[in-house]
DNA sequence: TTGAATATATTGTATTATATATAGTATGTT
DNA sequence: AACATACTATATATAATACAATATATTCAA
């Protein structure tokens, strides 16, 4: 049996193998995946585990399996990009400036609106959470905390403060994408580490209950990042 | 065996049963779901099909299953709200003004930004597609086409024109939510059917390659809808 | 009280058998 | 020849059984 020490179990191992292979483009849409039987052979895994992996991948929108037709790959538009597994596979397989831009464009849609909502509806514990993250960012500037973790926590806490379940659910998405794409942003010349005062401006606007200002402050950060990326393209 | 004529197969039937039950709150987070064995008994289904359903639900972030611990329900924040199945279950089980507001707030984040992108990057076929949808909306005003379908197609075609895979993936999300929530919007007094000229304004801005105007036109529609909803709350 | 050994319940994996759905082929009728 | 019907082969769908791995709970000794 193949090494799979990293994975929780055989099914998850296979989900990862097939999922990343599909996203990488190892299987064409016309040909689809090999049949269940072939997958079993190739990975030396029972049909039970194989079928469970297939079910998980079809639940994520990557594939569809039908009797006689076999396992076919879905059009990219059907993939659940907001599933953290799928997103991970995509970012890992094709870590490009284009996908970084796509991701930042989405953040530009989401985060200013979330900041605006937060300024309207954040409660005390929400605000305290944002403040804590901001404090971590300040310490990170002095090298006393991890800059990426602090940055993620800040943006995540703002989404949480929006009180909107859809925005809240995007926290894991943002976290995943930030973690993967950080290597690229770091390689862009002149990309500053997350600027404390810019982030502080969002916090102050939220505390002041000023949605427009919070929106603008959040937008400022992301527009700068986006300009930088598009300048490189 | 239980009636399941609607479903493609046993596994999908069970996924639907359990998924909607979980979302509805039939199982508490502390107690979790019954064990595999119990589910088999209760639904008179083999363990194979049961396990495959469990795998699909865990792929959607609803549950986690571990040896000896059984099947536990994930915190709501882990659920893949952007999975159309999950979204459907949520909207069907608790079709409230609150969730309609949450959904519209998300649209307010996404759609104006998508319209702005569309104005920048839409190609000829994108524009033609938007125009076609707009034409359907006009005909719908005269009762010659389905108003909801036309409306959905319009907003969907704008997302597609953004050329951003994340926005494009949200098409199925928007479609699902619009289809479910339409019953409520229709019940709100004074809610007009989708206004043709407002939608036309977006189209014209895209054709004119004016991102700001496209953004504003899209935002106008959604702000109006949101105000109406919040007025009712 | 603590900690290690053990029992036990639950999911994980494998195997075999049968059922069902469907693309493709053959057959037969008009 | 055209078209509908029936048949066949094949892949997935379902079931049943057996055993393995794992983590909780219990027991018992130090």
């Amino acid at each position: 049996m193949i090494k799979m020490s990293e994975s929780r179990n055989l099914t998850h191992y296979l989900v990862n193998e097939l999922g990343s292979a599909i996203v990488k483009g190892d299987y064409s849409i016309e040909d689809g995946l090999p049949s269940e039987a072939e997958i079993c052979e190739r990975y030396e895994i029972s049909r039970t585990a194989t079928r469970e992996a297939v079910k998980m991948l079809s639940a994520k929108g990557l594939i569809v399996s039908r009797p006689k037709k076999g396992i076919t790959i879905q059009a990219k538009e059907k993939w659940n990009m907001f599933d953290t597994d799928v997103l991970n596979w995509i970012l890992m397989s094709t870590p490009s400036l284009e996908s970084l831009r796509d991701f930042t464009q989405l953040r530009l849609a989401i985060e200013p609106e979330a900041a605006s909502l937060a300024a309207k509806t954040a409660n005390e514990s929400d605000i305290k959470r944002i403040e804590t993250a901001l404090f971590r960012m300040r310490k990170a500037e002095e090298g006393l905390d991890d800059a990426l973790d602090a940055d993620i926590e800040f943006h995540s806490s703002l989404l949480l403060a929006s009180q909107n379940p859809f925005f809240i659910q995007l926290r894991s998405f943002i976290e995943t994408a930030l973690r993967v794409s950080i290597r690229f942003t770091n390689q862009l010349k002149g990309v500053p580490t997350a600027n404390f005062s810019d982030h502080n401006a969002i916090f102050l606007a939220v505390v002041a209950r000023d949605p427009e200002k919070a929106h603008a402050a959040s937008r400022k950060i992301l527009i700068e990042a986006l300009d930088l990326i598009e300048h490189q393209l």
Side-chain angles (χ1 to χ4, degrees), chain A:
Chain A
M1 188 177 300
I2 299 161
K3 54 165 179 171
M4 49 150 292
S5 43
E6 324 106 50
S7 241
R8 272 229 321 289
N9 56 36
L10 270 182
T11 301
H12 281 83
Y13 160 77
L14 191 55
V15 165
N16 261 296
E17 286 289 311
L18 294 178
S20 49
I22 290 169
V23 166
K24 205 157 69 180
D26 287 356
Y27 301 101
S28 70
I29 289 195
E30 312 90 63
D31 300 342
L33 251 63
S35 69
E36 284 181 4
E38 276 183 71
I39 295 175
C40 296
E41 272 186 34
R42 190 172 304 179
Y43 289 91
E44 298 180 61
I45 286 175
S46 78
R47 225 184 122 202
T48 310
T50 300
R51 280 184 60 81
E52 285 173 6
V54 166
K55 288 295 175 187
M56 291 191 78
L57 288 171
S58 70
K60 291 176 189 297
L62 293 191
I63 58 179
V64 156
S65 94
R66 287 193 180 291
K68 181 71 186 178
K69 288 189 77 171
I71 303 166
T72 54
I73 296 174
Q74 287 266 55
K76 213 168 188 171
E77 293 140 36
K78 300 279 188 69
W79 299 358
N80 284 340
M81 307 281 254
F82 297 94
D83 179 288
T84 49
D85 287 335
V86 176
L87 182 65
N88 245 314
W89 295 327
I90 290 175
L91 295 178
M92 301 290 263
S93 71
T94 56
S96 64
L97 268 176
E98 280 81 10
S99 54
L100 181 57
R101 180 200 52 199
D102 293 339
F103 165 62
T104 309
Q105 284 174 345
L106 182 69
R107 289 185 66 196
L108 185 59
I110 298 295
E111 297 198 35
E113 206 55 40
S116 169
L117 282 175
K120 286 180 200 160
T121 67
N123 59 36
E124 271 187 44
S125 65
D126 287 330
I127 289 178
K128 194 166 285 175
R129 201 175 291 111
I130 301 171
E131 195 172 19
T132 305
L134 204 55
F135 185 68
R136 285 191 63 189
M137 290 187 69
R138 165 163 273 164
K139 285 181 72 175
E141 280 193 334
E142 304 165 14
L144 299 174
D145 204 331
D146 184 78
L148 178 59
D149 283 345
D151 195 32
I152 287 174
E153 192 180 317
F154 178 81
H155 292 280
S156 176
S157 65
L158 267 170
L159 291 171
L160 198 58
S162 76
Q163 312 273 16
N164 181 313
F166 296 116
F167 289 78
I168 290 174
Q169 219 278 310
L170 285 169
R171 289 195 308 157
S172 59
F173 173 84
I174 302 263
E175 171 167 348
T176 301
L178 276 180
R179 250 178 230 295
V180 174
S181 61
I182 192 67
R183 295 169 212 159
F184 280 80
T185 32
N186 278 350
Q187 285 166 3
L188 296 179
K189 278 177 214 143
V191 171
T193 56
N195 184 307
F196 176 80
S197 72
D198 279 350
H199 284 69
N200 192 40
I202 305 177
F203 171 68
L204 293 176
V206 169
V207 172
R209 300 293 180 192
D210 189 335
E212 275 80 23
K213 200 176 269 182
H215 191 285
S218 171
R219 189 173 173 86
K220 175 172 181 284
I221 293 178
L222 290 163
I223 287 281
E224 277 177 13
L226 193 55
D227 282 347
L228 213 70
I229 294 165
E230 286 180 335
H231 190 261
Q232 303 271 331
L233 280 168

